[in-house]
Amino acid sequence: YSVPKVEQGSWVAMTIDDKQRMIVSDQYGALYRFKIPAAGKTLAAEEIEKIDLDIGGAHGLLYAFDGLYAVLNVPEHGGRGLYKMTDTNGDDKYDTKKLLRKFDEVGGEHGPHSVLLSPDGKSVFIVVGNQTPVTEFSSSRVPQVWDEDLLLERPIGRGFMKGTPAPGGWIAKTDSEGKGWELFATGFRNQFDAAFNREGELFTYDADMEWDMNTPWYRPTRINHVVSGAEFGWRNGGGKWPAYYADSVGAVVDIGPGSPTGVTFGFGAKFPKKYQDAFYAADWSYGKLYAVHLKPDGASYTATFEEFMSAQPLPLTDLMVNPADGAMYIAIGGRRVQSGLYRVTYEGKEPVGKDEGVKLTSAALARRDLEAFHGKEDSAVLDTAWPHLSSSDRWLRNAARVAIESQPVDQWAAKVFAEENAQARISGAVALARMGNESHREAQIAALLKLKPTELSESQFLGLLRAYALTFIRLGKPSAEQREQVIAALDPHLPHKSKNITTELVRVLVYLEAPSVISKAINLIANRGKPDIPDWTELASRNKNYGRRVLEMLAKHPPTHEINYAFMLRNLRKGWTINQRRTYIEFINDSAKYPGGNSYGPIRA
């Protein structure tokens, strides 16, 4: 169906009601309802009914609990918020609109987005981007201590959303009448939609910041496994947390440049099993629909992805599977462009898959047991969760740490200092830095100093450096004596064979004003080799849909690690030689020759 723009606008959201009717929303206009045509037939304009209610501008729709939920992201019709519409007199017309939760009237498209039914069918989840502050909630699985947590001053670039504080985009859960709210996860940029797999695990497709392309802090669009209590580390400007930070969880897979919109799983589609089981993620900007193939891995998943469909233009906005006919429905539109509705069916010899789930791993089941403690005080938590702080599985460690952070700190602070296992001490120190106070600083640093970097794995060394950084950020500067001890412990390892460890060593040693950090970092800048190319870049560079400017940025990748060293060094005012300054300025001038996003050239503090 080709949507008549003047009469029906540009569609961005859809749902199916209990009578096999599709309900859609114009991004800036009304809601519409129509019977889904039979296979092989197309939709006619006269079959479409405008919903006669003061409602519109919905980014998300859901039919559930005998009503229609809408997440509005416009100031009209009552403003930004979660609404529920019902038919009270049985005439098959929505006649009542109830505001379940009002959201702050700030921002634009990075605001309230989607609404989806929980796996048990008893509640709904709300997906909100990073321009809308967290709503009031009665409980939180995320420890309520979020902050910027940046050891050094961040670059800002052109200043888009400057001043927008942590925790960024968020996902919350509420009951059918929007009365009790629970914060579930935070730290997204602009995740537009989310979906549950058969096992009740939540996934989303989070946005990049295209202005940051080719800067050290650029994060591509990525598929996130949204676990309970998670913090995904979006921060404004150059403050975005690297994926390896121990107080965060990373991506399941990085996709590349794009503008994420709707997502869904293929469950219920009459597709071959590979595509029935896939997680579908839509990219509005470049007209791509990805099929992401997830594979259980420990307490989380790994993934590969492929293009399921693509075209230019193909501004994908929403998609869903209708189990009644086994077809996938895809909407294009948004920002007042030409809109349309497509139906995707399978024709081929491969048998249609059975709509069945995958057994959760023992690690995933253990993670779920730990998640039951998130946001709750329970005397059994420490005995249950503490052993998992030493797990080699990052997702299990994260679940255990969040459970422990939910308990009074005086019940477990001493366990951090006494812990013999290196990984558990690091994980515990991250928790204590976040939940403790200045009285814990000296003992915390002393405990970290007992760990020998040469005996740690790469991830453990990165965790140790993050624990030091969080301790200094949250608990305060070290004493003069401990400062010298930390420098003595870390300085011999700069540079490191791991560029990520080198980056964090430079960060911590610049903060401590270590005497040798300028000369070592400048030497790395002067003797830089070929830049490291991210795994997703080669795949993206072969794609004609991206356009000339993006392809140029993908092909000419600057020395991003060295640029990061340079930006950290600018925090040091003393200790420079003339030759070091010359090398520094020459490197900055040379780096300016590379292409990049809007913030790559005019970066300012």
Side-chain angles (χ1 to χ4, degrees):
Y1 177 65
S2 183
V3 180
K5 188 186 302 185
V6 174
E7 293 83 6
Q8 296 173 356
S10 195
W11 296 355
V12 296
M14 55 185 177
T15 189
I16 296 175
D17 70 10
D18 59 342
K19 295 180 180 177
Q20 276 296 293
R21 292 174 298 191
M22 187 172 288
I23 303 170
V24 299
S25 175
D26 171 16
Q27 183 176 1
Y28 305 107
L31 306 186
Y32 301 91
R33 182 172 69 176
F34 51 88
K35 189 76 174 177
I36 298 174
K41 295 188 177 181
T42 57
L43 187 64
E46 59 270 18
E47 299 176 74
I48 296 178
E49 163 200 3
K50 180 180 177 181
I51 292 180
D52 188 18
L53 206 61
D54 181 24
I55 194 76
H59 277 198
L61 296 171
L62 171 69
Y63 184 86
F65 304 107
D66 298 319
L68 175 63
Y69 293 85
V71 178
L72 269 58
N73 193 14
V74 291
E76 297 82 21
H77 312 293
R80 292 176 172 87
L82 174 65
Y83 297 80
K84 183 179 181 182
M85 287 150 281
T86 53
D87 170 17
T88 61
N89 58 17
D91 66 352
D92 200 27
K93 304 285 186 182
Y94 293 112
D95 52 44
T96 301
K97 179 185 77 173
K98 182 180 180 181
L99 174 63
L100 303 186
R101 177 55 60 96
K102 186 77 175 67
F103 299 132
D104 287 6
E105 290 290 351
V106 294
E109 289 183 347
H110 288 221
H113 291 313
S114 299
V115 51
L116 56 149
L117 189 64
S118 65
D120 62 8
K122 297 179 180 179
S123 56
V124 294
F125 280 70
I126 314 299
V127 178
V128 182
N130 61 355
Q131 281 187 310
T132 297
V134 173
T135 190
E136 293 183 9
F137 47 84
S138 52
S139 62
S140 177
R141 289 174 173 264
V142 181
Q144 299 172 51
V145 292
W146 51 76
D147 207 337
E148 300 300 291
D149 286 329
L150 305 176
L151 187 61
L152 301 176
E153 182 183 19
R154 86 191 85 189
I156 293 297
R158 287 190 176 270
F160 178 70
M161 291 183 64
K162 183 178 181 179
T164 303
W170 47 278
I171 294 178
K173 175 184 176 182
T174 188
D175 56 72
S176 61
E177 295 303 316
K179 293 180 179 178
W181 285 70
E182 180 180 60
L183 189 61
F184 191 80
T186 60
F188 304 98
R189 181 176 185 261
N190 192 30
Q191 77 300 10
F192 190 85
D193 199 2
F196 289 97
N197 69 5
R198 294 187 187 93
E199 292 71 50
E201 298 292 313
L202 185 61
F203 293 84
T204 192
Y205 181 29
D206 198 14
D208 65 343
M209 173 42 160
E210 61 275 14
W211 289 7
D212 290 343
M213 280 194 69
N214 278 358
T215 65
W217 49 88
Y218 174 71
R219 301 201 311 188
T221 68
R222 55 190 194 155
I223 305 300
N224 289 130
H225 180 195
V226 187
V227 292
S228 168
E231 157 66 82
F232 288 93
W234 177 85
R235 297 295 185 268
N236 187 35
K240 298 170 189 67
W241 296 2
Y244 51 74
Y245 271 6
D247 44 334
S248 177
V249 287
V252 172
V253 65
D254 288 336
I255 300 291
S259 295
T261 49
V263 302
T264 192
F265 277 95
F267 311 144
K270 293 179 181 178
F271 291 174
K273 184 169 178 56
K274 176 181 179 181
Y275 295 100
Q276 186 188 77
D277 292 346
F279 176 68
Y280 293 88
D283 170 14
W284 186 88
S285 290
Y286 301 112
K288 301 171 183 292
L289 180 60
Y290 296 103
V292 181
H293 306 292
L294 296 160
K295 180 181 178 181
D297 181 48
S300 183
Y301 296 78
T302 56
T304 58
F305 64 93
E306 60 177 298
E307 285 187 17
F308 184 72
M309 67 164 61
S310 66
Q312 277 289 353
L314 190 70
L316 298 151
T317 55
D318 203 6
L319 62 155
M320 63 187 303
V321 169
N322 182 13
D325 61 12
M328 177 184 286
Y329 290 85
I330 297 172
I332 66 169
R335 296 184 178 177
R336 297 187 171 90
V337 303
Q338 178 59 50
S339 190
L341 182 65
Y342 294 82
R343 174 163 48 201
V344 180
T345 55
Y346 171 68
E347 294 180 0
K349 296 181 180 180
E350 191 171 340
V352 172
K354 293 182 179 180
D355 199 10
E356 55 190 12
V358 177
K359 186 177 180 181
L360 286 170
T361 65
S362 58
L365 292 171
R367 170 177 55 76
R368 284 190 172 186
D369 288 342
L370 292 168
E371 290 172 349
F373 295 116
H374 290 180
K376 300 175 182 177
E377 286 192 29
D378 192 312
S379 58
V381 169
L382 294 181
D383 289 340
T384 302
W386 199 270
H388 291 290
L389 290 181
S390 59
S391 173
S392 60
D393 190 307
R394 175 182 186 176
W395 300 82
L396 260 180
R397 292 199 306 272
N398 186 77
R401 178 181 56 78
V402 174
I404 289 166
E405 288 182 3
S406 301
Q407 313 310 309
V409 70
D410 58 3
Q411 294 182 5
W412 52 269
K415 291 176 69 68
V416 176
F417 312 141
E419 177 59 58
E420 294 296 326
N421 180 274
Q423 180 62 73
R425 181 178 293 185
I426 292 165
S427 301
V430 168
L432 186 56
R434 287 164 45 81
M435 307 305 293
N437 55 54
E438 291 183 0
S439 69
H440 299 114
R441 179 180 61 235
E442 185 175 347
Q444 169 99 317
I445 295 173
L448 294 175
L449 282 166
K450 292 179 181 178
L451 297 172
K452 297 180 179 179
T454 55
E455 298 176 358
L456 303 177
S457 66
E458 180 178 0
S459 65
Q460 288 172 341
F461 198 172
L462 286 168
L464 172 64
L465 291 166
R466 182 57 173 166
Y468 273 124
L470 285 170
T471 299
F472 303 149
I473 294 165
R474 296 230 178 194
L475 306 185
K477 292 183 177 181
S479 65
E481 180 182 1
Q482 285 194 322
R483 170 185 170 272
E484 295 294 335
Q485 291 172 336
V486 175
I487 291 172
L490 299 181
D491 185 75
H493 303 284
L494 178 66
H496 195 275
K497 63 182 179 180
S498 162
K499 286 197 173 183
N500 288 337
I501 289 177
T502 297
T503 295
E504 299 310 314
L505 281 168
V506 172
R507 194 186 314 276
V508 173
L509 291 171
V510 164
Y511 172 83
L512 295 172
E513 299 182 359
S516 68
V517 68
I518 294 176
S519 61
K520 288 186 174 183
I522 287 294
N523 188 55
L524 288 168
I525 288 170
N527 298 293
R528 60 192 179 276
K530 293 183 179 180
D532 291 337
I533 309 299
D535 294 339
W536 51 267
T537 301
E538 194 230 339
L539 177 65
S541 67
R542 298 199 305 266
N543 198 302
K544 61 183 180 182
N545 286 25
Y546 277 121
R548 182 190 60 79
R549 177 166 170 74
V550 173
L551 290 175
E552 181 185 27
M553 287 189 278
L554 293 168
K556 298 180 179 179
H557 204 73
T560 51
H561 281 92
E562 289 77 11
I563 291 173
N564 219 0
Y565 309 153
F567 273 100
M568 290 186 284
L569 285 177
R570 78 198 198 333
N571 290 271
L572 294 175
R573 300 291 185 262
K574 300 177 181 179
W576 293 81
T577 67
I578 290 297
N579 284 337
Q580 288 168 346
R581 290 182 183 277
R582 180 179 295 111
T583 300
Y584 184 93
I585 296 300
E586 288 174 350
F587 171 72
I588 293 295
N589 289 339
D590 183 60
S591 297
K593 299 174 184 177
Y594 286 88
N598 288 348
S599 285
Y600 182 83
I603 294 169
R604 53 186 180 273

